[in-house]
Amino acid sequence: MTATAAPRTKRQKKQAQGPYGIVGSTVEALDERLGIAKGGRTFMDKIFPDHWSFMLGEIALYSFVVLLLTGVFLTLYFVPSQHLMKVPMNFPYKPLRGDTVSEAFYSTVNMSFNVRCGLLMRQMHHWACDIFVGAIVVHMARVFFTGAFRKPREANWLVGSTLLILAITNGFLGYSLPDDLVSGTGLRIADSIMLSVPVLGSYISFFAFGGTFPGDIVIARFFIIHVLLVPGIILALVGAHLGLLVRQKHTQFPGKGRTEGNVVGSPMFPVFIFKTQGFLFMTLGVTALLGALAQINPVWQFGQYYAAQISYAVQPDWYMGFLDGLLRIFPAWQWNAWGHTIPLEVTIPAVIFPGIVFNIAMAWPWIEQKFTKDKEIHHLLDRPRDVPHRTAFGVAFFSLLAILFIASSTDVLANFFHVSLNTVLIIMRVLTFAVPIIAYPVAYFICVELQAGGSIMGKRKIANVVTRTEEGEYVATPSAPRPGDAHVELDATPVPTFIVEGPAPESDEAELVDAEVDEGVRTASR
Amino acid sequence: MTSHHEPADITTVTADAPQMQPLAKDVVSMERWIGLLFLLGIAFFAGFGVAYWQDGTFWLYGTLLGAGLVAMGAGFIAWGKYLLPRGPFVEERHTLASTEQERSAFSAALMERGAGEIKRRSVLGTLLGGSLGVFSIVALFPLVRSLGPLPGDALAKTNWKKGMNLVDINGRKIHVDDITVGGFATVFPEGLQNTDEGQAIDQTFLIRIDSADFTTMKGREGWAPHGYVAYSKLCTHLGCPVGLYEQQLEALVCPCHQSMFNVRKGAIPTFGPAPRPLPQLPLSVDSDGHLIASAGYNEPVGPGYWERP
């Protein structure tokens, strides 16, 4: 330590901190202890490719943030107990006064009516869950159709698929907690699905429910799994998902200046941080608007679950729809011999089918490698049309799930179209086979057609100028980009480490002009 | 590795390079718009605070909260997109893989220090494997076996026994004159109507389909005195209560997956995924004219499972 005079005035203090002020001194303090400066600087320069479809994963991440925030609020009021109690006579919702309900149901309704913001938080939580699973599915579809799962990212595809399964599981667990008539019926169905597992079924059921259905402990168990176990695993896997992403860097679409050897886009700080934080607020805001304006799961209307009661048009959350649909349209086959029963009408649609779906999904990178024999490392994404077989398979796969999803409302459809349930059933059975079989070749040939149209990869379509020749032929020519068009992409440049003040060197101007000309040539050649 | 992280031409980017310019054509008006969004955010958040404090309706403060967040988020995004350097910027991608030498060195170290050591002492290795195996099996006992009782024959039984009175949810006995033809009720064994077991397992659907004694199928003569038939209310598909009675079709319908059961013919399934008829409860009438069970169910109720004969 040199004996310098302690800074006294404000100015002296500022000078002592050096040119970067409080930021500089904090960085210095941290770097001396943790060595953050070098890595931190590199991290700030991390490039995020700009494409709207890269936002889908962000929606999933941020709706998970909403789930954590609102979920913590809910735990402060929810009582995970099936113990019965009487609803007080001064309860705000009159139809329930004096009813015998479980503490789980009462605390759910009570937080909806008696806690300020309680209903908002409940509805935000439920909406965020539906959005969370939806965003994961759409994000996964993006990764699938663009081939982002290919080597070296197979492990991250596995982590992502596991996250989807966990998200669906936790959605169902949470849906079961309020102990209302609808969720209780869902639990009863879940119990019967457990029972349908050959050999082990009754043990699985008894160990899950602590005895025969419904028992008095399942909600307490599901609660702790829902709020601690599964979210903990999800959090850890989200960390792994993002860690792998940082380590392996982003994929990107092919385009101007984009190669297998680089990443083109916006730097982490500040551009991406600004956009993504804004997007976090947007996700929070949209969920809050939905929670405020769109009613979801009004359990007080369903009432307490009693095992001998049932409601009409009982529907699970959307992501369970494909299972429910297949359960409805599956034929009544059971296997019965040697004193044993396998309820195939449940085992196949509710255990084997989802097993196959998720196994195909998880194994897809390796399934595809078997066909393509492609062992190369890929960082540039495919356009779906350029890989017609994969695209066609994906379309067929999703169309099958979509048909099964629609089949989960056979009764509503029959009612709506005034046809018999039997007609709807037969139609849905036919469509289950027909739609994927037709979708595959249709998607395939659309891809091939689109390929013939040439490859135009850009952020925005450029207007065509259509001219009529003297022979009467119409010719479409892309218009030349106007100077200053937002969509005219510049050459990618490294993130500036040192910005040189003053006018740019001559050579740069020349390059820029070249770039504009290049762009013109490129668009004209399309 | 970091030495070639530094691209050689970084100094060529100047403050007035086009990539460093904002995307907005009119920066000042964009700044105004973004400022307006943030002001809206402030106003909405303040409104949320006031509405919360005043105990406003939830949709009001929820909307204010959401609108504030959307406005603030939109402003933030617009700032990032239109006012910050438009780019694009590029960074190099470096091969993650190590050199062949580094790989062999790692594999060699793993083999020599770890796996090789175990291979050299194969007996010890086997014993270690064995103890790990036994541990992982017995560790499952407290984790799994303690979760609940063994099923035994619990799934095959109900509480219905010979002579038990049929009561409704309020515990009222059913008299033969109580229900007219076409009427129905959900019944339980007397005393169990308010228990979990009574409701989840014993729940039974009682329908009067005729005024005279009725036989639903061969071998069930005398099971339906005065036209009263009783079937387990647990769907044989997935255990939902078969709670809809379609009077004209004389069919019980499960609202969950639309299985239908013909009540005149032993509740055989006529539609939907349910594979088995609903078990029928044999009834008789006691000396007071109340309905009683003349026996329990002669087969397990509810959905199928492995041990079911």
Side-chain angles (χ1 to χ4, degrees):
Chain A
M1 265 300 220
T2 45
T4 44
R8 253 170 296 169
T9 61
K10 242 183 181 175
R11 187 179 215 162
Q12 279 174 327
K13 275 184 190 163
K14 214 167 188 183
Q15 273 176 343
Q17 275 176 333
Y20 301 110
I22 184 98
V23 173
S25 52
T26 313
V27 167
E28 190 185 322
L30 283 173
D31 193 52
E32 278 171 353
R33 291 161 178 84
L34 302 165
I36 57 146
K38 215 155 129 189
R41 181 60 228 265
T42 314
F43 194 60
M44 272 172 70
D45 290 353
K46 180 177 165 45
I47 296 293
F48 287 78
D50 292 313
H51 191 270
W52 66 266
S53 69
F54 289 49
M55 175 190 72
L56 300 166
E58 290 177 53
I59 300 182
L61 181 65
Y62 296 142
S63 46
F64 183 60
V65 172
V66 180
L67 285 170
L68 289 179
L69 294 176
T70 52
V72 168
F73 183 95
L74 302 187
T75 56
L76 302 179
Y77 299 95
F78 180 70
V79 183
S81 157
Q82 283 157 275
H83 187 72
L84 293 177
M85 57 171 284
K86 274 230 184 305
V87 176
M89 292 311 290
N90 61 354
F91 193 73
Y93 186 65
K94 286 179 190 168
L96 283 178
R97 287 179 183 173
D99 273 15
T100 305
V101 297
S102 70
E103 287 181 26
F105 182 79
Y106 178 74
S107 59
T108 307
V109 181
N110 189 49
M111 81 168 88
S112 308
F113 284 96
N114 279 335
V115 176
R116 230 179 271 190
C117 268
L119 182 56
L120 180 67
M121 292 293 163
R122 257 198 70 221
Q123 303 208 124
M124 279 179 74
H125 194 71
H126 204 128
W127 274 116
C129 169
D130 283 350
I131 294 171
F132 181 47
V133 183
I136 294 177
V137 170
V138 183
H139 169 65
M140 211 169 157
R142 198 282 293 172
V143 169
F144 177 85
F145 285 114
T146 59
F149 55 82
R150 288 173 301 169
K151 186 177 173 184
R153 295 183 178 77
E154 305 98 321
N156 224 10
W157 170 264
L158 268 188
V159 172
S161 329
T162 313
L163 279 169
L164 172 64
I165 296 171
L166 289 171
I168 291 176
T169 309
N170 222 30
F172 179 77
L173 292 171
Y175 176 85
S176 303
L177 293 180
D179 204 18
D180 59 285
L181 189 56
V182 175
S183 76
T185 309
L187 271 179
R188 170 71 247 206
I189 293 173
D191 175 45
S192 303
I193 292 171
M194 293 178 198
L195 284 173
S196 81
V197 176
V199 186
L200 294 175
S202 48
Y203 295 88
I204 298 173
S205 160
F206 270 60
F207 291 164
F209 289 86
T212 50
F213 177 86
D216 54 9
I217 200 162
V218 66
I219 283 177
R221 285 180 177 179
F222 277 20
F223 175 72
I224 201 64
I225 299 172
H226 175 77
V227 302
L228 180 70
L229 197 57
V230 181
I233 302 172
I234 290 180
L235 213 51
L237 287 183
V238 166
H241 205 62
L242 298 181
L244 281 168
L245 174 125
V246 170
R247 175 84 176 145
Q248 298 180 323
K249 293 201 165 83
H250 279 76
T251 54
Q252 61 187 349
F253 281 101
K256 192 178 182 182
R258 290 154 172 84
T259 68
E260 290 280 4
N262 67 12
V263 191
V264 173
S266 311
M268 162 75 99
F269 187 82
V271 181
F272 179 74
I273 286 284
F274 270 52
K275 287 188 190 171
T276 197
Q277 286 309 295
F279 204 64
L280 167 64
F281 293 134
M282 291 281 265
T283 313
L284 272 164
V286 170
T287 321
L289 288 175
L290 280 168
L293 300 172
Q295 187 180 64
I296 192 162
N297 207 22
V299 289
W300 55 91
Q301 291 178 9
F302 309 148
Q304 165 70 30
Y305 175 65
Y306 290 108
Q309 291 178 5
I310 184 80
S311 165
Y312 169 70
V314 181
Q315 297 287 355
D317 268 329
W318 75 268
Y319 43 83
M320 287 284 172
F322 77 102
L323 280 183
D324 198 55
L326 189 56
L327 279 167
R328 282 174 188 227
I329 63 171
F330 203 79
W333 296 341
Q334 66 163 340
W335 180 90
N336 187 299
W338 306 304
H340 289 287
T341 301
I342 302 178
L344 296 174
E345 83 282 3
V346 181
T347 318
I348 293 176
V351 181
I352 295 175
F353 177 75
I356 292 174
V357 165
F358 286 115
N359 271 301
I360 289 181
M362 292 179 108
W364 183 260
W366 293 275
I367 297 173
E368 191 178 292
Q369 268 175 28
K370 271 256 187 270
F371 285 102
T372 59
K373 309 266 182 271
D374 181 2
K375 295 273 157 69
E376 292 299 307
I377 283 187
H378 296 278
H379 299 301
L380 283 180
L381 295 171
D382 293 323
R383 288 192 96 184
R385 65 182 65 173
D386 294 332
V387 199
H389 277 297
R390 181 205 294 146
T391 304
F393 179 84
V395 169
F397 193 79
F398 277 107
S399 67
L400 170 66
L401 294 182
I403 288 296
L404 294 177
F405 175 77
I406 294 169
S408 70
S409 48
T410 43
D411 50 345
V412 180
L413 291 173
N415 218 347
F416 186 78
F417 291 108
H418 296 287
V419 289
S420 81
L421 209 48
N422 198 34
T423 315
V424 177
L425 178 80
I426 290 165
I427 291 174
M428 292 319 296
R429 279 179 180 172
V430 171
L431 289 182
T432 301
F433 289 97
V435 169
I437 290 171
I438 295 169
Y440 191 103
V442 168
Y444 182 85
F445 286 115
I446 289 177
C447 286
V448 173
E449 281 292 308
L450 285 171
Q451 279 175 24
S455 176
I456 305 170
M457 285 287 279
K459 285 185 165 179
R460 205 172 295 173
K461 286 221 174 78
I462 291 165
N464 279 333
V465 178
V466 180
T467 43
R468 184 168 173 261
T469 62
E470 280 175 20
E471 290 79 36
E473 188 189 1
Y474 288 96
V475 180
T477 336
S479 65
R482 288 157 296 167
D485 265 4
H487 64 266
V488 175
E489 208 173 45
L490 304 169
D491 281 322
T493 175
V495 180
T497 311
F498 307 101
I499 295 174
V500 180
E501 298 292 342
E506 284 293 310
S507 61
D508 258 331
E509 293 286 349
E511 259 175 44
L512 180 66
V513 174
D514 279 351
E516 299 270 350
V517 172
D518 277 353
E519 185 70 21
V521 170
R522 197 167 70 90
T523 46
S525 67
R526 281 167 189 169
Chain B
M1 288 295 278
T2 45
S3 58
H4 58 274
H5 264 264
E6 314 276 339
D9 53 349
I10 38 171
T11 47
T12 62
V13 182
T14 59
D16 56 357
Q19 292 91 345
M20 296 302 294
Q21 308 313 314
L23 194 59
K25 281 179 203 154
D26 182 352
V27 171
V28 175
S29 79
M30 182 53 72
E31 282 168 351
R32 288 199 183 125
W33 279 112
I34 294 172
L36 180 67
L37 283 169
F38 288 146
L39 281 175
L40 276 176
I42 293 172
F44 283 135
F45 288 140
F48 166 71
V50 172
Y52 180 90
W53 175 42
Q54 294 292 329
D55 201 5
T57 49
F58 93 98
W59 63 263
L60 178 67
Y61 54 65
T63 306
L64 287 166
L65 178 67
L69 285 162
V70 168
M72 184 170 72
F76 217 163
I77 293 173
W79 190 344
K81 188 170 168 63
Y82 293 109
L83 295 184
L84 291 176
R86 64 184 287 192
F89 297 99
V90 63
E91 73 173 333
E92 298 303 307
R93 219 186 264 282
H94 302 287
T95 339
L96 287 176
S98 323
T99 64
E100 199 62 49
Q101 274 175 321
E102 287 164 329
R103 253 183 246 177
S104 329
F106 184 47
S107 309
L110 276 176
M111 276 308 287
E112 280 164 20
R113 296 179 201 173
E117 174 64 27
I118 292 172
K119 261 190 180 166
R120 249 192 309 281
R121 301 190 165 80
S122 59
V123 177
L124 287 185
T126 313
L127 289 174
L128 174 64
S131 63
L132 281 174
V134 174
F135 166 70
S136 48
I137 291 168
V138 294
L140 284 179
F141 279 89
L143 281 177
V144 175
R145 176 60 191 89
S146 305
L147 287 175
L150 294 178
D153 63 347
L155 287 166
K157 290 189 305 191
T158 71
N159 295 307
W160 287 104
K161 282 182 191 65
K162 187 181 174 176
M164 275 180 142
N165 266 104
L166 277 61
V167 297
D168 67 8
I169 187 70
N170 300 316
R172 218 174 58 85
K173 291 179 190 172
I174 311 286
H175 193 269
V176 281
D177 299 331
D178 278 353
I179 296 175
T180 53
V181 174
F184 54 85
T186 300
V187 293
F188 309 90
E190 188 173 17
L192 294 168
Q193 65 275 14
N194 279 324
T195 61
D196 270 350
E197 267 198 14
Q199 296 206 354
I201 299 167
D202 306 327
Q203 53 173 311
T204 294
F205 205 89
L206 178 73
I207 317 151
R208 189 164 194 195
I209 57 173
D210 211 320
S211 48
D213 289 1
F214 190 82
T215 305
T216 56
M217 55 165 45
K218 223 174 159 203
R220 295 187 181 175
E221 290 83 3
W223 284 24
H226 303 273
Y228 280 96
V229 288
Y231 293 110
S232 163
K233 201 183 169 185
L234 280 178
C235 187
T236 53
H237 180 221
L238 287 165
C240 289
V242 186
L244 288 174
Y245 180 53
E246 172 51 73
Q247 222 172 45
Q248 281 175 316
L249 296 172
E250 298 193 310
L252 274 168
V253 184
C254 179
C256 284
H257 302 96
Q258 287 80 47
S259 294
M260 288 185 197
F261 304 90
N262 183 334
V263 295
R264 277 192 180 267
K265 294 191 175 153
I268 50 165
T270 53
F271 180 82
R276 291 179 305 277
L278 301 169
Q280 187 179 351
L281 186 71
L283 302 179
S284 50
V285 180
D286 69 8
S287 48
D288 306 330
H290 288 120
L291 288 172
I292 56 170
S294 48
Y297 284 108
N298 62 2
E299 58 178 314
V301 296
Y305 56 97
W306 175 249
E307 292 87 351
R308 191 183 191 285

